[in-house]
Amino acid sequence: MNHKLLGSISVWLAMVVWPSAAIAQEPGRIAGRLLDAETGEPLIGANIIIVGTTMGASSAIDGSFLIPKVAPGVYAVVVSYISYQETRISGVQVLPGQTAHVDAAIKPESIVGEEVVVEARMIQNNEATLLKNRQMAVAFSDAISSEAISKSGSGDAAAAMTRVTGASVVGGRYVYIRGLGDRYSNTQLNGVELPSADPDKKAVHLDLFPSGLLDNITTIKTFTPDKPGTFSGGIVDVNTKTYPDKFTVRLSSSASVNSQSTFNGGFLKYSGGSTDWLGMDDGSRSIPGPLKDPEVSIPSPQAARNDQEKAYRLDAFSRSFRNSMTPHTGSAPLNQNFSLTVGNQTELMGRPLGFSGTFSYGRNFSYYDNGRVGKWQLNGSVDESDALENRQWLTDTRGMDEVLWGGLLMLSFKPHPHHEVTANYYYSQSGQSVARYLNGAWHDELGNDDAVYETRSLLYSERNLRSFQFHGDHYLKTVLNSTLNWNLAFSGTNQNDPDLRFFSDDYFYDAENDRTVYNISSNLYERPSRYFRDLEETNLNLQLDWSVPFRTSNGRSGKIKLGTAVLSGDRTFRERRFEYQWSALGAYTGDPEVFFGESLGIVDSTNNRYLFGSYIKDVSKRTNNYDASQDVAAGYAMIEWPLTRRLRLIGGARLEQAALEVVSQDTAQAKGLLDNMDLLPSVNLVYQVLDNMNVRAAYGRTLARPTFRELAPFGSFEFIGDYQFVGNPNLQRTVIDNWDLRWEWFMNPGEILAVSGFYKHFRNPIERTYDIGNRYYGVQNVGRGEVIGAELEFRRRLGVVASFLENFQVGANVTLVRSAVDIPDSEYVNNILPFDPNAEDTRPLSGQSPYLINLDVSYDHPKSKTSIGLSYNRFGRRLSEVTTGALPDVFEQPRSEVGVTVTQPLWRRFELKAAVKNLLNDKVRKVIRFKGEDYIFHEYSTGRTFSLGLSYRI
């Protein structure tokens, strides 16, 4: 071996070994958070000392502390605070270059002045920390940590929510809590309410939050006056990562294959823009320049026939669009995901300054060609009919390309131990490209059993969410030892749907003339159309909370809390629609390339007489464009009162004044208005049966308001299905009375057994209806509704069963629900009873699942750090579409999902993760059930996904 080679090897070994040796000598840190064991409030100014040393720290306004530069070893830590028991935490192991986390709940002294020393073990598991916070919380809550999200293999917040007790995910992005629809949930980012990017729903798209940006997701299920009153199922609070206590870098990348889409040469797609990979259009889908002005006049063929200038204008307008109106096939590549996180804590003017930045990117492809779509009708009464009659039966093929990326920047400064100010900026961008083709029979409309109806759509939708948040925590020792917390947030969301293209036709074989005859029957379905839609919504949130602690005569800790909140939001919605029309010279002959290409515009100009084949027409309606605003002002007062040593009362009320207004650009349309003032009381009782066992009872009154679109008094085209959605300006808000009861036993850190029951009564619940005969969706209030249910949650390490199972943990949560809402009298008497005299006068609440099941088993090896997780998720049959008339409602059938995740740390800070999702590949099935038979409304499968990822951490 030559000297050069030996030298190279020596240098390489030095590069590898020297950093490891340096790390071995690097001191560590002890950090954590101190809370009041009775109230869960942070302890401010508590002293933390390492036994046998002079090293220590004082807790800040959020109860956190940091002791830097601690030599590796095992220590005991003592926490002391006036009027609280001295607490000794033993077994604190500090490793080289790492942080030992010590989170402790400190008990007030039962007799002031008596010194009591207790022993405690430090908690290091993130799930355990969340459970400890939950044990001391004033409201019913559930949560999932970043640790559990990682083990589940979830790629975004929506997927992670399927593991939360009582949560189900609809459409891959909408979260239903306890089976209640999106209107009964409130989505927050770090405690601040977010606007929706969906023109038709209240819900925030939770798939906008990549899992790499998340610290935890907390679901609050009972109302307290310091929370917004607009929820009944729950508040979903997405909490993003905070800054670390030392310099940290984490880089991860993964790729996955889907059994139905990856490398599939028949993947349905269409040519988009050059920046589709960024989740945004490059402008190529924009309205052509000459047509951007909504007041532009497009000449008619009749006016242009003998007018050269008008003829050329109509020809130019018609040819200005991209002429592709049909999907094409290609191959889908690997799905890919990438994330990078950088953070550190340093000092500014001698005070702690923390910062972090996170970026995440993912692109995923999905496909199915086994979809089926059916439309049915009931002929005659229920007794007379043995089966439903088919109106339409189509095969369904769809390819989807989804891009999601986001970033988070956070800066936090503590100018004083009693004051902390935090600023963060969150941005998320998504783009969704969909190519779809359906074809089949349409018996009652085409009038020919051999005729085939086909429809194609090219859809592109880009959404973004922007949030600037400023937050301050201040301990005012000289003002009644009170704390002042404030939030100021500017949030905005946008959904842009540029150049959505729809093209339908029908054809049949003419045997007599041995030819295929094609038609575009504009009296049966829409002419070929192009839509341009843009929604912009902005919110300003201001929250101010003032908390004053007090002591009862027997020394117990209580708190009075006062606050106010203001929400001001605005939305603009704009739509342009262009339609292709044609003359005999441009009749459709079965070739889209000719119809939208060669026969487009001027096809004959003989003798200066201009004749047109197919041409464009602006059919936009001012009615469909609207502006909306909402202003909500609230004030509240609440008290946390320790009635006895083990019984706490949390009660109060919130006053909310809300005004919503929707104004169409068509001044002839009535305004959609909602103006209400509501007093929302709340009472929570928490009884501590044992130190680790609670019984909770709660009552609260909450609200559900209609969305802007539901109040907008006009009809608009629903892209899939050729249906109109018609708003209702007379909608009222829903008032809900909520009762909850829970028993919870926190057996050990990270372990829990809990049983809950709940009952909800709705006045004027809002539901969407589906009229197959007139082909429109509507929305209405019904008289009353109720939901009654129970939840069971269990999480336990199996070492209690046998010692060889010590590294295994099982978890389960099950929700059982029964719901019912009144059917409006007019519908019941006029449309249902004549067909079915035995019909009930109630139906389930839309979107409500009768049961939800989440099961998981995990294995963690302490030495090799191997982690294996197996998860199972299933929901029960839930009402999907409320049909008016005698036709039975549409229900989404139960579906199970199984996933497996394996994580293995490798040499030198690398980690390998492999996962399988949707192992069973159950079909998505929506059906109409009639006399024991299921009639398919929509059905498809999504395929299995196999992923492999590698991450590196400093």
Side-chain angles (χ1 to χ4, degrees):
M1 184 177 293
N2 61 46
H3 294 291
K4 289 186 177 181
L5 182 57
L6 284 172
S8 299
I9 293 174
S10 300
V11 171
W12 183 82
L13 286 173
M15 293 174 63
V16 172
V17 175
W18 179 80
S20 300
I23 291 173
Q25 304 304 316
E26 184 182 349
R29 305 159 195 79
I30 298 177
R33 193 164 182 242
L34 306 178
L35 303 176
D36 186 308
E38 291 186 353
T39 66
E41 293 297 310
L43 293 184
I44 305 169
N47 294 315
I48 305 96
I49 300 294
I50 300 176
V51 176
T53 76
T54 58
M55 301 178 70
S58 178
S59 60
I61 187 168
D62 60 351
S64 65
F65 67 90
L66 173 66
I67 306 176
K69 300 179 180 178
V70 181
V74 178
Y75 298 91
V77 175
V78 172
V79 180
S80 60
Y81 193 52
I82 187 170
S83 299
Y84 282 79
Q85 295 176 351
E86 185 176 277
T87 301
R88 181 185 180 95
I89 303 171
S90 61
V92 180
Q93 184 176 10
V94 178
L95 299 176
Q98 298 187 24
T99 301
H101 291 279
V102 179
D103 298 322
I106 312 302
K107 294 182 179 180
E109 287 182 346
S110 56
I111 301 175
V112 177
E114 179 182 342
E115 181 176 315
V116 180
V117 179
V118 298
E119 292 289 331
R121 299 293 296 179
M122 68 174 181
I123 299 172
Q124 302 183 72
N125 184 284
N126 284 335
E127 284 293 289
T129 301
L130 286 178
L131 285 179
K132 193 65 180 178
N133 293 339
R134 169 176 158 179
Q135 180 181 350
M136 295 181 291
V138 298
F140 290 39
S141 66
D142 297 296
I144 183 170
S145 69
S146 58
E147 176 190 53
I149 293 171
S150 176
K151 286 184 177 180
S152 71
S154 303
D156 54 55
M161 282 298 296
T162 61
R163 273 73 184 176
V164 175
T165 304
S168 58
V169 178
V170 178
R173 60 181 59 139
Y174 304 114
V175 173
Y176 288 12
I177 305 299
R178 290 175 166 173
L180 297 171
D182 59 89
R183 73 174 68 254
Y184 300 110
S185 297
N186 185 302
T187 303
Q188 299 181 343
L189 179 64
N190 299 319
V192 177
E193 186 174 350
L194 290 173
S196 172
D198 193 309
D200 298 325
K201 295 180 181 289
K202 175 195 172 188
V204 174
H205 292 197
L206 282 180
D207 60 343
L208 281 173
F209 300 95
S211 59
L213 306 186
L214 306 181
D215 187 58
N216 64 75
I217 306 173
T218 301
T219 304
I220 300 170
K221 295 181 177 178
T222 57
F223 171 64
T224 54
D226 57 343
K227 302 297 181 184
T230 51
F231 76 94
S232 178
I235 291 177
V236 179
D237 191 5
V238 179
N239 294 290
T240 53
K241 291 184 181 298
T242 59
Y243 64 89
D245 50 49
K246 65 168 187 173
F247 178 68
T248 301
V249 176
R250 181 180 175 88
L251 175 67
S252 66
S253 179
S254 67
S256 64
V257 297
N258 180 274
S259 60
Q260 293 181 185
S261 62
T262 309
F263 306 134
N264 184 342
F267 186 87
L268 211 60
K269 58 169 61 176
Y270 79 99
S271 299
S274 61
T275 57
D276 283 5
W277 66 278
L278 287 174
M280 55 183 67
D281 182 52
D282 61 0
S284 60
R285 296 183 180 91
S286 300
I287 298 177
L291 294 171
K292 286 186 177 179
D293 182 359
E295 303 300 325
V296 68
S297 175
I298 300 178
S300 68
Q302 293 77 21
R305 183 171 299 171
N306 298 305
D307 187 320
Q308 184 183 65
E309 189 271 333
K310 290 183 178 179
Y312 284 162
R313 284 180 61 204
L314 177 57
D315 182 77
F317 287 155
S318 299
R319 296 179 182 277
S320 61
F321 293 92
R322 301 171 75 175
N323 61 9
S324 174
M325 290 287 288
T326 61
H328 66 271
T329 57
S331 181
L334 288 169
N335 300 327
Q336 52 188 305
N337 289 275
F338 167 86
S339 68
L340 173 66
T341 300
V342 179
N344 198 5
Q345 182 177 158
T346 182
E347 290 187 350
L348 177 65
M349 297 182 293
R351 299 302 306 160
L353 173 69
F355 64 89
S356 68
T358 302
F359 174 79
S360 178
Y361 174 88
R363 186 174 189 180
N364 294 278
F365 298 83
S366 60
Y367 173 80
Y368 64 77
D369 58 6
N370 58 358
R372 294 186 292 174
V373 175
K375 295 179 182 177
W376 309 85
Q377 66 182 10
L378 177 66
N379 286 334
S381 69
V382 171
D383 291 335
E384 295 169 345
S385 303
D386 294 325
L388 298 181
E389 183 177 334
N390 181 252
R391 294 187 63 180
Q392 191 179 76
W393 185 250
L394 307 175
T395 60
D396 183 11
T397 304
R398 189 192 72 179
M400 183 183 297
D401 176 3
E402 296 177 282
V403 172
L404 171 64
W405 60 269
L408 172 70
L409 296 174
M410 195 275 289
L411 188 68
S412 182
F413 181 55
K414 294 181 181 178
H416 186 275
H418 295 170
H419 303 275
E420 181 175 12
V421 180
T422 301
N424 65 46
Y425 173 67
Y426 179 87
Y427 183 88
S428 178
Q429 177 77 34
S430 74
Q432 186 181 83
S433 173
V434 180
R436 194 174 184 188
Y437 174 72
L438 298 94
N439 73 313
W442 195 354
H443 303 293
D444 59 336
E445 293 290 354
L446 296 182
N448 182 343
D449 288 341
D450 296 325
V452 176
Y453 167 72
E454 57 182 355
T455 181
R456 313 156 185 85
S457 56
L458 300 176
L459 313 177
Y460 187 80
S461 181
E462 61 173 283
R463 306 187 307 271
N464 63 60
L465 174 63
R466 313 167 302 279
S467 180
F468 289 93
Q469 295 184 350
F470 304 91
H471 176 76
D473 295 307
H474 308 278
Y475 173 50
L476 309 177
K477 188 173 183 178
T478 58
V479 186
L480 304 175
N481 286 319
S482 62
T483 56
L484 181 69
N485 309 101
W486 55 268
N487 269 301
L488 177 63
F490 303 90
S491 302
T493 186
N494 173 263
Q495 176 164 318
N496 182 29
D497 303 316
D499 203 3
L500 309 181
R501 297 166 236 180
F502 303 89
F503 171 40
S504 300
D505 68 83
D506 61 86
Y507 63 89
F508 66 92
Y509 177 68
D510 180 2
E512 183 177 343
N513 297 301
D514 190 25
R515 67 188 183 100
T516 301
V517 179
Y518 290 88
N519 297 290
I520 297 178
S521 304
S522 55
N523 59 324
L524 299 180
Y525 44 81
E526 289 234 344
R527 298 172 186 265
S529 302
R530 313 180 83 118
Y531 283 80
F532 298 82
R533 289 181 171 178
D534 185 75
L535 178 148
E536 180 75 31
E537 185 170 338
T538 57
N539 275 4
L540 169 64
N541 293 75
L542 175 61
Q543 297 173 205
L544 189 65
D545 302 294
W546 184 47
S547 302
V548 181
F550 66 88
R551 291 276 187 174
T552 62
S553 57
N554 51 15
R556 300 187 184 99
S557 302
K559 182 172 64 174
I560 296 173
K561 193 172 183 181
L562 305 173
T564 185
V566 175
L567 167 64
S568 180
D570 294 284
R571 173 186 286 188
T572 59
F573 179 80
R574 297 293 180 264
E575 176 185 277
R576 296 282 301 280
R577 177 185 163 209
F578 298 91
E579 189 177 82
Y580 285 94
Q581 300 189 357
W582 56 93
S583 67
L585 296 175
Y588 182 59
T589 59
D591 189 343
E593 299 299 324
V594 173
F595 185 78
F596 299 106
E598 295 177 17
S599 68
L600 191 65
I602 299 172
V603 294
D604 189 351
S605 58
T606 305
N607 298 323
N608 291 325
R609 186 169 179 268
Y610 300 95
L611 302 179
F612 289 80
S614 55
Y615 55 92
I616 204 76
K617 181 179 182 180
D618 189 344
V619 291
S620 306
K621 296 180 180 179
R622 292 181 64 84
T623 303
N624 291 15
N625 299 301
Y626 67 90
D627 297 288
S629 64
Q630 68 167 335
D631 293 288
V632 181
Y636 74 87
M638 63 182 287
I639 187 170
E640 298 178 28
W641 194 337
L643 300 176
T644 69
R645 185 171 67 88
R646 293 191 177 276
L647 180 62
R648 278 191 296 158
L649 167 69
I650 302 96
R654 184 182 184 92
L655 186 66
E656 280 197 1
Q657 168 67 47
L660 278 74
E661 182 179 67
V662 181
V663 181
S664 171
Q665 286 199 315
D666 181 356
T667 56
Q669 295 290 329
K671 293 182 180 180
L673 296 172
L674 195 71
D675 192 352
N676 302 107
M677 179 177 287
D678 295 282
L679 182 65
L680 307 175
S682 167
V683 177
N684 282 260
L685 289 169
V686 183
Y687 181 71
Q688 190 179 34
V689 181
L690 300 171
D691 287 348
N692 61 348
M693 183 184 296
N694 293 330
V695 174
R696 298 174 178 268
Y699 164 77
R701 175 169 292 173
T702 57
L703 307 168
R705 300 187 181 105
T707 66
F708 288 137
R709 179 62 191 91
E710 289 171 339
L711 279 172
F714 55 80
S716 61
F717 179 63
E718 292 290 295
F719 294 149
I720 303 301
D722 293 341
Y723 280 76
Q724 292 281 324
F725 176 79
V726 182
N728 180 357
N730 299 315
L731 287 176
Q732 304 175 51
R733 80 208 183 295
T734 303
V735 179
I736 310 112
D737 290 302
N738 309 269
W739 286 266
D740 290 82
L741 184 66
R742 174 180 282 183
W743 171 80
E744 52 191 9
W745 179 22
F746 301 90
M747 297 171 283
N748 289 300
E751 298 181 346
I752 186 173
L753 175 62
V755 180
S756 306
F758 56 91
Y759 174 78
K760 300 176 183 294
H761 181 271
F762 299 77
R763 280 183 286 161
N764 300 316
I766 301 169
E767 66 177 9
R768 293 196 176 197
T769 59
Y770 164 74
D771 189 323
I772 189 172
N774 296 311
R775 291 165 60 185
Y776 77 86
Y777 286 93
V779 60
Q780 64 184 10
N781 286 110
V782 296
R784 59 177 291 278
E786 64 177 12
V787 172
I788 185 168
E791 294 174 332
L792 171 66
E793 182 180 7
F794 176 74
R795 196 176 306 164
R796 183 74 160 161
R797 289 200 169 272
L798 295 182
V800 296
V801 178
S803 59
F804 69 89
L805 296 176
E806 176 64 30
N807 299 328
F808 288 87
Q809 178 175 282
V810 296
N813 61 76
V814 179
T815 304
L816 304 174
V817 183
R818 179 192 173 275
S819 67
V821 297
D822 291 340
I823 298 175
D825 290 341
S826 59
E827 179 186 344
Y828 183 68
V829 172
N830 299 324
N831 298 338
I832 296 179
L833 281 182
F835 293 90
D836 185 3
N838 300 315
E840 296 184 1
D841 60 357
T842 64
R843 58 180 163 233
L845 194 66
S846 180
Q848 180 71 65
S849 295
Y851 65 84
L852 300 167
I853 301 173
N854 294 302
L855 306 174
D856 65 83
V857 180
S858 62
Y859 169 82
D860 294 283
H861 194 280
K863 292 184 178 180
S864 67
K865 305 300 182 183
T866 302
S867 176
I868 303 174
L870 172 66
S871 63
Y872 172 82
N873 168 262
R874 183 176 177 85
F875 64 85
R877 179 174 176 261
R878 59 192 177 201
L879 180 58
S880 174
E881 314 284 344
V882 176
T883 61
T884 58
L887 186 70
D889 295 324
V890 179
F891 283 83
E892 185 175 359
Q893 295 300 94
R895 188 169 69 254
S896 298
E897 290 193 12
V898 173
V900 180
T901 303
V902 180
T903 303
Q904 178 60 61
L906 303 176
W907 181 63
R908 297 267 321 211
R909 301 174 183 264
F910 284 95
E911 184 178 84
L912 186 68
K913 179 187 288 186
V916 183
K917 299 179 185 177
N918 196 28
L919 196 58
L920 301 179
N921 195 23
D922 275 2
K923 285 187 176 182
V924 178
R925 298 184 75 238
K926 294 184 179 182
V927 304
I928 299 172
R929 179 163 293 177
F930 182 72
K931 291 190 174 181
E933 296 291 329
D934 286 342
Y935 297 82
I936 293 174
F937 183 78
H938 192 198
E939 177 184 84
Y940 63 92
S941 61
T942 58
R944 301 173 179 87
T945 300
F946 305 85
S947 65
L948 185 66
L950 185 67
S951 63
Y952 176 77
R953 180 195 297 269
I954 296 178

